[in-house]
Structures are given as structure tokens and as C-alpha cells.
Amino acid sequence: MALVLNEEQIMLKDSAAGFLAQKAAVAQLRALRDSGSKTTFDGDVWNEMVNMGWASIAIPEAYGGLGYGYTGLGLVLEQVGRHLSNSPLESAVLVGATLVNELASEAQKQQWLPAIAAGETRFSLALQEGAHHNPQQLATSARREGDGFVLSGSKVLVLDAPSAQQFLVVAQLEGTDGASVFAVPASADGLAIESRAMVDSRAAGALTLNQVAVGADALVGEAGAAGPALERTLDIANIGLSAELLGLSAEAFERTVAYLQERKQFGRIIGSFQGLQHRAAELFAELELARSIVLKALQAIDEGADNLPLLASAAKAKLCEVAQRASNEAVQMHGGIGMTDECDIGFFIKRARVAQHTFGDYNYHLDRFARLGGF
């Protein structure tokens, strides 16, 4: 498939850009941060996103979604990155709905996916247990008790934990070799949710499960068989994060170029300095390469490509690298003002660092890409 957008995709991208610029731009992020909101997103704006169909873009039509695919969702996420818009779009839709669609039974899909598409419920994945992303590190346990299960353990970096209504908890079920996933309501007895302040002004949290009892219907899919669906979900999540990092990097670059054309030093516009021009030109070339690999990876999801894991790690590693460079250069070229809170460019570097480390950073995905490639 050609690495170009069709007319319908361009319209979706432009529509998302216009809406987010008006309703969920950096100014709104700053205001939410300063308000001390625990959810860190505007519920009314999220409802508007749902009404526009964003929560259902990648959900199949059979389950109340638009069936537009992940390429469409990726285009929206790119604009989310450009405007630093905060919402449950990633936690509930990119990750939560994807795992439900990949793993759940038919009855569970019929129950949960329409509710996600309509914005009536929000799932969040509870996977990570240590300081770094490692899906194989799994100490959270589950055991059968009566007709249900009892879960014990702890999770960290659970996205939008303070506002999530259900958690998809990954645990090791006694008597099985592989991972299992359980749907645990946020109100469950024995579940403690600790809100954690993030440097990017978004909400995350840590979960402690102390003998949390759930029914038999809480098991998502089959016992011990969550591995393949979880891996595919993480691949899709990392491609979505790569799309966000692309938008963030492009916006930081464009803001910086605009600043270079305004700021004067020694009686000259600093954009006329050849050293800064070379740095900007190199970054522009990197952004164009990044745009191609993100679009290729998004298309691979919708096409069901066999090399999706390879493309996912390639995209995440590349965009981590580009976002690191773009955000660093943005702050440096803004000079002293770039280090102050009054300058919006600081929000871009903060969000970039968190997104880079979510579900595996540059080193994790570069190593995974090498292993998958046979190195």
C-alpha cells in the first residue's frame, strides 16, 4: 500500500486538528494542571470526542464501532501529540478496547466493546510491575476459589487509573503456564488505587490487589492463553504512541522554526545562523523518515501483516529517537526561555519523555527489533 493518505483520511486528520486546537490544546493542558484535577482531562471534551466517533474508530462495526481501522485512529493520535491533548483515548481505546477485541470471548466483546465505543465504560491495562517495561515479569497471582478467582499483587504505571472504571489485570493463574487477564472493577473490595503525579501532567496510578475476589466471568478469554493477544495489543499500543510522538515532534519542530525566524541575537535573526539551519534541516529529514515508518506500521495493523512485531518495535525505537532529538533541540534553540514554565515548549519535552518510556523505551525496542530480525 502506498505511504500516502486518501481524501477521507486527510479529512479526518484536518477535522481532528481543528477540534483539538479549539478544545484541547496546550492552554487547556496548562489550565487542567493548575486546577489540580485528579483525572487531568476535561470530561465534557472527552464526551465530544466520543460523539465524534473517536472512541469507536478502531472497533469493528459488529460491536458498535466505526470499523475505520487503526490508520484512522493513528491520524487522530498524531493530532493529539501535536496539541498535547489529554483524554482516555489511549488508555481506554488504543489499549483497552484493543485487548478486549483481541482476547475476549464473543459474549464479552458484545458486552464491553459497544460500551467502550459509546463512552459508557473505560478500561485500563494493569500490566507493569517494575520500574521498567517487562511483560515477562509477572508476580501478580490468581487462584480459583469457588466459582470465581482471587487476585493478589501490585501494578504500576496504570494509565488513567484514577478515572478508569475497570482494569484489565494481567496475572499468573495457578495451574497454568501462560498469563491470564481479569476484568476487575475499580470499586472491587481489596483493590487500592494510588494516584501518581506524572511529569507530563497526566494521570496514572499504582494498584494494590489484596485478595480481590472476582466472578468467573471476570476471566477475559481463556485461562493462561493471554500471551499472543497481549503481545499484539502492546504492538498496536506502541504504534499508536509512535503516532503521538510523531505529532509532538513535528509541532515542537515547527514552533522552534517559527521562533528562529523571530528571535534576534547580535542584531540578526538567529534563523540566519548556518549552524542552526543545519540542525533544523537534519531534524526535518528525520521527521520525514519517521512519518513514513509510522504510516507503514499503522497500515500493517489493518492489513494483518505478519511482520507487525518487527514494524512496531522499529517505529517505537525510531520515534523515541526522533522525539528525544526534537524536544531537546526545541528547548535548546529557545534558549533560556525554553527552560521556564511560561514557555509552552517545556510541555512537549515532558510529554515526550513519558510517552517514550510507556510500554518500552528506545533501548527496549531496539533490542527487540534486533532479536526479531535474527541479530
Side-chain angles (χ1 to χ4, degrees):
M1 183 178 292
L3 295 179
V4 294
L5 301 180
N6 60 36
E7 185 177 349
E8 192 175 24
Q9 290 168 336
I10 292 173
M11 289 176 62
L12 173 62
K13 182 177 180 178
D14 291 344
S15 172
F19 174 82
L20 294 174
Q22 181 182 4
K23 296 293 184 71
V26 184
Q28 284 77 12
L29 176 64
R30 184 188 289 275
L32 284 166
R33 181 202 64 176
D34 294 343
S35 73
S37 168
K38 288 186 177 181
T39 60
T40 69
F41 68 87
D42 188 317
D44 292 335
V45 173
W46 169 241
N47 289 335
E48 288 189 60
M49 292 179 182
V50 171
N51 291 335
M52 292 171 67
W54 291 5
S56 59
I57 285 180
I59 294 177
E61 293 181 75
Y63 305 110
L66 297 178
Y68 196 64
Y70 285 93
T71 301
L73 180 57
L75 295 175
V76 173
L77 290 172
E78 181 183 343
Q79 296 308 310
V80 165
R82 273 190 172 272
H83 297 89
L84 299 186
S85 308
N86 190 12
S87 75
L89 192 63
E90 288 173 342
S91 62
V93 179
L94 176 66
V95 184
T98 297
L99 184 55
V100 170
N101 189 47
E102 293 291 333
L103 180 63
S105 66
E106 182 62 26
Q108 289 171 329
K109 291 180 183 180
Q110 293 286 356
Q111 177 186 355
W112 292 331
L113 288 178
I116 295 173
E120 296 170 357
T121 189
R122 294 190 296 273
F123 285 81
S124 184
L125 175 63
L127 169 65
Q128 189 166 319
E129 297 184 353
H132 302 284
H133 177 70
N134 184 1
Q136 283 70 47
Q137 180 182 331
L138 190 58
T140 301
S141 64
R143 71 173 191 276
R144 297 183 186 273
E145 186 170 291
D147 295 332
F149 304 91
V150 175
L151 283 70
S152 296
S154 60
K155 299 291 184 180
V156 297
L157 200 62
V158 181
L159 304 180
D160 292 315
S163 60
Q165 291 152 312
Q166 292 213 56
F167 297 99
L168 296 168
V169 179
V170 184
Q172 184 70 50
L173 178 61
E174 290 182 359
T176 64
D177 294 328
S180 298
V181 174
F182 299 86
V184 179
S187 59
D189 292 337
L191 174 63
I193 305 170
E194 181 184 353
S195 181
R196 296 284 176 86
M198 302 290 285
V199 71
D200 61 350
S201 304
R202 298 195 179 199
L207 306 185
T208 301
L209 298 100
N210 183 16
Q211 303 290 310
V212 175
V214 294
D217 58 352
L219 176 63
V220 184
E222 298 181 8
L230 184 59
E231 181 178 13
R232 179 172 169 81
T233 297
L234 290 173
D235 285 337
I236 292 172
N238 275 300
I239 293 170
L241 285 168
S242 298
E244 183 194 350
L245 285 169
L246 172 62
L248 180 155
S249 301
E251 180 68 17
F253 171 75
E254 291 172 15
R255 286 177 178 235
T256 303
V257 170
Y259 183 76
L260 294 180
Q261 295 170 341
E262 297 173 356
R263 178 80 167 98
K264 285 187 177 182
Q265 190 74 21
F266 308 115
R268 294 173 57 190
I269 297 293
I270 62 174
S272 65
F273 299 155
Q274 193 174 58
L276 296 181
Q277 290 176 354
H278 287 170
R279 287 162 64 179
E282 290 174 1
L283 183 52
F284 175 80
E286 288 295 303
L287 283 167
E288 290 304 300
L289 290 171
R291 191 178 307 281
S292 296
I293 195 169
V294 168
L295 184 54
K296 178 66 175 178
L298 288 168
Q299 292 174 349
I301 303 173
D302 295 331
E303 294 168 0
D306 293 334
N307 63 340
L308 182 65
L310 193 73
L311 285 170
S313 282
K316 185 65 183 299
K318 183 62 179 177
L319 267 297
C320 282
E321 181 183 39
V322 171
Q324 179 95 4
R325 184 172 183 178
S327 55
N328 282 353
E329 291 280 44
V331 171
Q332 290 175 16
M333 291 187 186
H334 274 78
I337 195 174
M339 300 294 292
T340 66
D341 185 68
E342 67 185 80
C343 182
D344 286 345
I345 207 67
F347 285 92
F348 288 84
I349 196 170
K350 291 173 183 177
R351 175 56 190 159
R353 295 301 174 270
V354 175
Q356 285 171 236
H357 285 82
T358 302
F359 302 132
D361 60 8
Y362 169 80
N363 291 317
Y364 176 91
H365 284 285
L366 187 65
D367 179 70
R368 182 172 183 253
F369 176 82
R371 286 187 285 106
L372 291 171
F375 292 99

